[in-house]
Amino acid sequence: GEDVEQSLFLSVREGDSSVINCTYTDSSSTYLYWYKQEPGAGLQLLTYIFSNMDMKQDQRLTVLLNKKDKHLSLRIADTQTGDSAIYFCAEMTGTYKYIFGTGTRLKVLA
Amino acid sequence: GAGVSQSPSNKVTEKGKDVELRCDPISGHTALYWYRQSLGQGLEFLIYFQGNSAPDKSGLPSDRFSAERTGGSVSTLTIQRTQQEDSAVYLCASSLSGGLDGELFFGEGSRLTVL
């Protein structure tokens, strides 16, 4: 069935790198996404990767995709307190249906 | 407006009552989604509207849930005879096209508490 899995919590120190992991199930997914949800707010798109790519870098963000293992990761370099939020991995199945993971709550310690 | 607007932002109701949640998508966005966010459960797909096509209702958890989208714009999610397990944040999102490259723009959600 459709299932996107993430660990629920991650805690890092300010300045360190954060790595948030995700496993997905649909091997035909063409796009995979990372969304960020700050307290009391809706989700905002952070970045996405097309399935024929292995890596995408966008400033402090690096997305790695391992299609064989259906594993996606988001690395945040030099993590700041403002990065504290819930991060959702999502896959697109079919042509419009987004399946979201449970979200990983990132806590950045000063 | 500039973003997706949802109302009410908070709703407390008694078990058995009906509730209506409203979503105003970004103007011009043809695709509209409803998701439910429960603690530790991630986002659960409820329903998808695209233009004038028949909606994909495959995520609605029971026949107490229904949604409509009038004039291709505003959408209302209705929950009849609410139960405590309906307590959650209901998120609406819209997208320009709903296609593979469509970024979802989310509202801030409606937090429903059923006592």
Side-chain angles (χ1 to χ4, degrees), chain A residues 43-60:
Chain A
L43 280 70
Q44 285 189 303
L45 180 66
L46 264 186
T47 188
Y48 66 92
I49 188 166
F50 191 52
S51 61
N52 68 354
M53 298 168 67
D54 298 323
M55 185 182 88
K56 180 179 179 181
Q57 187 150 4
D58 185 359
Q59 300 183 330
R60 291 189 300 121

Side-chain angles (χ1 to χ4, degrees), chain A residues 80-95:
Chain A
Q80 303 297 307
T81 53
D83 295 324
S84 292
I86 303 176
Y87 291 80
F88 290 90
C89 163
E91 62 175 339
M92 166 76 84
T93 67
T95 57

Side-chain angles (χ1 to χ4, degrees), chain B residues 5 12 29 46 53-54 56-57 65 71 100-101 108:
Chain B
S5 176
V12 180
H29 281 194
L46 297 178
S53 303
D56 177 353
K57 304 180 185 179
F65 288 72
L100 293 173
D101 57 351
E108 293 185 355

Side-chain angles (χ1 to χ4, degrees), chain B residues 12-52:
Chain B
V12 180
T13 191
E14 292 179 347
K15 178 181 170 181
K17 300 277 191 188
D18 296 353
V19 296
E20 279 190 356
L21 307 176
R22 176 189 166 108
C23 173
D24 225 314
I26 293 172
S27 177
H29 281 194
T30 61
L32 187 147
Y33 300 75
W34 282 99
Y35 283 87
R36 178 166 71 176
Q37 183 178 20
S38 306
L39 197 61
Q41 304 266 336
L43 268 65
E44 178 188 2
F45 168 81
L46 297 178
I47 190 168
Y48 165 77
F49 295 92
Q50 170 60 280
N52 295 321

Side-chain angles (χ1 to χ4, degrees), chain A residues 27-73:
Chain A
S27 57
S28 65
S29 293
T30 49
Y31 283 88
L32 295 134
Y33 306 83
W34 284 103
Y35 278 80
K36 177 183 180 182
Q37 184 182 35
E38 296 187 4
L43 280 70
Q44 285 189 303
L45 180 66
L46 264 186
T47 188
Y48 66 92
I49 188 166
F50 191 52
S51 61
N52 68 354
M53 298 168 67
D54 298 323
M55 185 182 88
K56 180 179 179 181
Q57 187 150 4
D58 185 359
Q59 300 183 330
R60 291 189 300 121
L61 305 178
T62 303
V63 178
L64 294 177
L65 174 61
N66 181 329
K67 281 199 74 175
K68 176 176 167 289
D69 295 336
K70 298 195 199 109
H71 183 266
L72 183 73
S73 68

